[in-house]
Structure formats: C-alpha cells, structure tokens
Amino acid sequence: MEKQGPYPFREVYELAFPILMRVSFRITGDREVAEELCQEAFIRFLNRYPPIPTLDQSKYWLIRVVKNLSLNFVKRKGRERKAFEKFGREPMKVQESVEDCLLRKESAARLREGLEQLPEKLKVVLILKEYSGLNYREIGKVLKISEGNVKVRVFRARNRLQELLDEEGEYVP
Amino acid sequence: MCPDKEVLSAYFDGEIESSLMASIKEHIEVCSSCRKELSCLEELRRVLLAEDIPGIEESSVTVWQAINRLRKVTSRERIWQKQLVIPVPVATAFMVLFVSVLSLFFVVSLKQDQPFRTVSKIETLPVDVQIKTIEDLHRAIEGDTTAFEVTILLPQEPIYDFSGKPTLLRAAEYERSK
C-alpha cells in the first residue's frame, strides 16, 4: 500500500485503528457498524488530497471523521437506545471498597444508559477522554475547541452522569 | 478549602498545572470529602473501561483487508477517474485562451451573417426575357410548363416617394394592409 503523506499508511492505521474502533463502538454500540465506519474513515483518509502532513494530525483528523460518521449513524438509524441496552446486558462486578459512592449500586448498563442520555457535546468529549487516551489538548484539536472548553465539558459530563444516576438511583429499591 | 469539583476532575485526568499539583495532592491526603469525590471519579472510569471491545485485533485485521481490497479495485478500475491536478495559473491561462478563441469564432460568424454587407461589384445577370409587369409574369408562367428561373431585378437606385420613403417599401406596406 502506498504512502499517504510522508509516512507509511500502515503506521497511521496501527496508531489510529484501536482509537477509532473504541470511539465508534462507544457511540454506535455495534461492533460491525464500528468496523464499517472505521473502514469508511480510512478510505476517506486515503482519498484525501492534499495528504495530511503529520502523523498526529492524521490521527486527529481520523478520530474527527469517525466521530462524525458514528454520530450521523446513530441519528439516522435512531438505534441508540437499543444498541446500548444490548451492550449493557452483561452484569458488571462493582468494587466494594467504594462505600459511599453512588455508582457502587449501579450496573454498567445504567452507566452507559446515562452516557447515552448526555447531550452530544458532553458525551463525545467524555468518550474521547475515556476511550481514546488523548489528553485535553489533543481532544481540543480533534473537536476544534479550546483546551479549557474540553476541561469544562469533561467535568460537566461526569457531573451530569452522576446526577442522572443519582436520579435513577432513587427509584431503585 | 476544598478545590472546585472541576479542578478535581482535571486533577484526576492529570491536567493540572504543576504548580498547583502538589498543593492539591497535599489537600486530598487530609480531606475525606475530596477523597470521596476522587474515588467516585475512579469508579466512574473503572466501570466505563470495564468492558473493552472483544477482539479488537480481529477487527483490525478484517478492516485492514477490506481497505486493501477496496484500494486494489479502485486502483485497477478507476485509473481514468484519478484526480487531475492543474495549477491555478495554468487553468486560468487555458480559460483565457478558450474564451478568446470562442469570441473570435463568434465575431467571424457574426460577420458572415451580416445582412448588409458591402458588395464590391454588381454583376449583370443574363436576361432571356424581360418581363416588366406582374401580368406579363403570370402569362409567362402559364405559357411555359417547363421549369424556369425568374430573377427579379430591383432598381439599383432607390426611388423615393413624396414623404421620403423608398417606393418599394411603400408598395410592400400597401400589399400587407390590403
């Protein structure tokens, strides 16, 4: 396979694929769909002209594309809820040492439902933070927002998630 | 005093200025409510990360192969569809050339269609039978069954009526109104 930019495509692929796959999977909740969307993102990357000059910029570009493809997919199909329900069915072990934490009594399914309910802006930032291994500055570059904005959104997403779970927790016996 | 929750969240992500890092760390060691907050953040992350996608390596191979297949197909079948890159100055030059050639053609064709082109010399046509009136013409057509050519000679010098209009024009108007 030929080069796309001053680095081999294989290098970009190996660097970006696990991130793209995780981000897309967390948004769509469907592995096959995530695979297809990753493929689409890479094809767009290869067809892009002019090529992106650096490896890091390529990574940010690919994450941005796969994020948009995944969000579009979820919107189009309207399958968000179903996908997350399917994903969250397996019971989760919860660390017992955290006595007072509300999350203790919540299953992973509830948490993911909560994540699903978050506004898009907050959800995407939290997904990128937790699943892509990018720091605030890099997330800012992916989403084209400031580092400070990333910080605020990550905090709000976490806060909102805890609030949502808190509200739901009241109805759990 | 406890740091803001937002600051704790950033501290949890290791995104705090190094000057603040030590003081927050010191504070957390003695503050139980901040420790509780941090453990909630840890728990949140732990649950979110608890399930990685199974077989991400397999997916990686599948997608890589699919991309390679697609690339081969596109490079074999769509050579003529390859993106052609033309620098802006060259494209502009071509456009200018194209437009000027087009306008040249337009001007030439316009000249050819000109209804009132100047005639350098009036040719004298060979005349077999001189017919002066319309009745003579009728008679000639009826009398001769074979096909023949009729050349109508207009007066070389326009003849004007009293109002200054050419008489031929007047006649045509008269015919129409009748």
Side-chain angles (χ1 to χ4, degrees):
Chain A
M1 187 160 288
E2 74 258 40
K3 282 183 172 186
Q4 164 77 0
Y7 39 80
F9 174 64
R10 180 92 214 182
E11 213 174 305
V12 187
Y13 185 82
E14 277 171 5
L15 175 76
F17 182 80
I19 302 174
L20 299 197
M21 191 64 192
R22 285 192 181 98
V23 169
S24 182
F25 180 67
R26 297 299 166 180
I27 296 176
T28 61
D30 188 315
R31 186 181 152 158
E32 278 180 26
V33 170
E35 281 179 3
E36 269 174 40
L37 297 180
C38 287
Q39 183 185 317
E40 171 69 23
F42 281 113
I43 292 292
R44 285 190 190 188
F45 174 77
L46 286 166
N47 289 337
R48 194 179 184 278
Y49 191 88
I52 302 168
T54 72
L55 207 56
D56 273 342
Q57 283 177 341
S58 301
K59 182 173 82 174
Y60 304 147
W61 187 89
L62 279 163
I63 296 174
R64 186 158 57 239
V65 169
V66 96
K67 182 258 306 177
N68 290 338
L69 287 173
S70 306
L71 287 174
N72 288 345
F73 173 84
V74 167
K75 276 180 204 155
R76 201 173 58 236
K77 296 284 173 184
R79 293 199 320 211
E80 216 175 355
R81 178 159 293 279
K82 192 182 153 200
F84 272 83
E85 274 171 4
K86 187 177 149 198
F87 178 72
R89 241 169 234 152
E90 283 182 35
M92 300 296 300
K93 283 183 190 170
V94 178
Q95 204 179 344
E96 286 303 317
S97 62
V98 190
E99 290 295 326
D100 302 312
C101 190
L102 173 84
L103 294 171
R104 184 173 52 87
K105 54 189 176 220
E106 299 296 337
S107 69
R110 292 198 86 95
L111 189 67
R112 293 203 176 86
E113 258 174 53
L115 188 61
E116 182 204 350
Q117 283 171 31
L118 287 180
E120 192 180 296
K121 277 185 179 179
L122 301 184
K123 180 168 67 179
V124 167
V125 169
L126 193 62
I127 286 176
L128 287 179
K129 179 63 222 154
E130 300 297 356
Y131 299 111
S132 72
L134 301 179
N135 60 31
Y136 287 0
R137 188 183 58 83
E138 291 174 312
I139 294 173
K141 284 190 174 177
V142 169
L143 300 177
K144 293 183 174 172
I145 56 175
S146 74
E147 212 176 314
N149 206 335
V150 176
K151 184 172 130 186
V152 173
R153 286 190 197 180
V154 168
F155 163 69
R156 285 190 188 154
R158 283 172 175 156
N159 214 27
R160 194 74 78 83
L161 209 51
Q162 288 192 340
E163 275 174 16
L164 283 172
L165 295 172
D166 204 355
E167 281 167 23
E168 280 184 15
E170 285 171 17
Y171 301 102
V172 175
Chain B
M1 206 180 104
C2 290
D4 191 65
K5 273 189 167 187
E6 193 182 309
V7 176
L8 269 183
S9 164
Y11 171 81
F12 176 66
D13 288 327
E15 301 265 0
I16 286 285
E17 289 167 45
S18 49
S19 56
L20 283 171
M21 204 73 178
S23 60
I24 292 173
K25 203 174 176 185
E26 266 176 39
H27 171 83
I28 287 164
E29 276 168 18
V30 293
C31 176
S32 63
S33 80
C34 282
R35 273 206 305 278
K36 195 177 114 187
E37 189 62 36
L38 272 181
S39 63
C40 278
L41 291 174
E42 272 166 28
E43 182 64 4
L44 185 72
R45 173 168 291 170
R46 204 189 61 76
V47 177
L48 283 174
L49 295 179
E51 262 183 27
D52 197 10
I53 318 162
I56 200 161
E57 284 301 314
E58 287 168 33
S59 293
S60 177
V61 174
T62 314
V63 174
W64 175 258
Q65 285 169 350
I67 293 170
N68 270 315
R69 267 199 306 277
L70 273 170
R71 293 280 292 163
K72 272 178 195 156
V73 166
T74 48
S75 59
R76 197 166 49 225
E77 289 181 358
R78 296 187 188 167
I79 284 169
W80 65 90
Q81 288 182 353
K82 274 198 174 177
Q83 206 169 11
L84 186 67
V85 186
I86 304 166
V88 176
V90 178
T92 318
F94 267 107
M95 277 302 284
V96 168
L97 196 71
F98 180 70
V99 168
S100 51
V101 165
L102 204 72
S103 51
L104 200 71
F105 270 112
F106 183 69
V107 167
V108 167
S109 64
L110 203 71
K111 275 199 165 179
Q112 282 176 350
D113 290 344
Q114 224 169 33
F116 304 110
R117 62 187 158 156
T118 45
V119 180
S120 53
K121 186 187 148 204
I122 296 170
E123 287 174 33
T124 28
L125 297 162
V127 180
D128 298 336
V129 188
Q130 287 251 1
I131 297 166
K132 295 273 183 184
T133 62
I134 201 90
E135 286 78 24
D136 289 342
L137 181 66
H138 276 291
R139 235 171 277 132
I141 293 170
E142 280 165 12
D144 197 341
T145 48
T146 55
F148 70 104
E149 280 181 356
V150 177
T151 308
I152 299 172
L153 284 175
L154 297 174
Q156 286 183 19
E157 292 297 321
I159 307 158
Y160 300 101
D161 69 355
F162 59 91
S163 65
K165 274 189 176 178
T167 45
L168 271 174
L169 252 169
R170 286 284 301 180
E173 276 170 19
Y174 179 70
E175 284 293 318
R176 253 207 314 278
S177 62
K178 218 164 50 170

